[in-house]
Amino acid sequence: MGARLIHVLKYEGGCWLRHEISCLLSEQVQLAHYFSNAVLVPVPLHPRKKRARGYNQSHLIAESIQAIFPGTRVENILLRTRQTPSQTFLSREKRYQNMLDAFFCKPGAGGLQRVVLIDDVQTTGATLNASALALRRQNVQDISAFTLAHG
């Protein structure tokens, strides 16, 4: 079920899944503490990819979380600085190289207390690590991550 959900979300116009994701997450009561007072930062897509897809699935997941966990808010403070090839068929090493300097954090983010990076899938962690590095460059100290799936 998880792999199918992610595939629909990413490749089959699954923006209609927002409510289903919220319902799924609301059943996980332990997440309330994890998301308490968090700023949810979706991993951005390159503008071309976002235009082609019509939405950013990570932003959709962040909105689903915000809808059910009071005190959270979505902030789009990361920008994709360059278009990168799909990570799908890359080795662990190539994934890290692919993500090098792929993100930029808007100035002024250092004042945020608690950030949770949001992405759809975590495989090697290359995308989340590159995103966290961009946040660290703006002095964001408390960074966690949440993904719907791992693979």
Side-chain angles (χ1 to χ4, degrees):
M1 159 99 167
R4 180 73 184 128
L5 177 100
I6 296 299
H7 193 273
V8 170
L9 185 61
K10 286 178 85 160
Y11 305 113
E12 297 179 28
C15 56
W16 54 270
L17 287 168
R18 182 180 289 119
H19 176 72
E20 284 76 4
I21 293 168
S22 291
C23 289
L24 236 152
L25 295 177
S26 69
E27 295 172 2
Q28 308 301 314
V29 292
Q30 73 278 13
L31 289 177
H33 179 70
Y34 185 73
F35 289 120
S36 179
N37 298 312
V39 175
L40 309 173
V41 177
V43 171
L45 294 175
H46 188 272
R48 277 188 218 128
K49 187 172 250 182
K50 185 176 177 187
R51 261 192 311 276
R53 186 172 287 160
Y55 61 95
N56 175 354
Q57 71 276 5
S58 297
H59 190 268
L60 186 138
I61 295 165
E63 288 178 333
S64 300
I65 294 167
Q66 181 182 19
I68 57 171
F69 295 110
T72 60
R73 73 180 194 275
V74 178
E75 293 280 338
N76 293 303
I77 58 173
L78 284 177
L79 302 171
R80 193 82 168 227
T81 57
R82 59 187 176 81
Q83 192 166 11
T84 55
S86 172
Q87 302 270 86
T88 307
F89 300 108
L90 298 179
S91 69
R92 174 180 289 274
E93 183 178 314
K94 293 284 186 196
R95 286 173 184 240
Y96 279 91
Q97 290 173 0
N98 193 35
M99 288 293 113
L100 261 170
D101 297 321
F103 301 100
F104 172 79
C105 182
K106 295 176 184 175
L112 297 174
Q113 293 296 313
R114 186 163 181 296
V115 167
V116 178
L117 282 167
I118 307 296
D119 206 0
D120 54 357
V121 179
Q122 188 231 333
T123 305
T124 63
T127 302
L128 291 170
N129 282 337
S131 299
L133 182 58
L135 290 166
R136 287 256 189 258
R137 287 182 180 139
Q138 285 297 319
N139 295 315
V140 177
Q141 297 302 310
D142 188 356
I143 305 168
S144 301
F146 177 82
T147 61
L148 281 184
H150 62 88

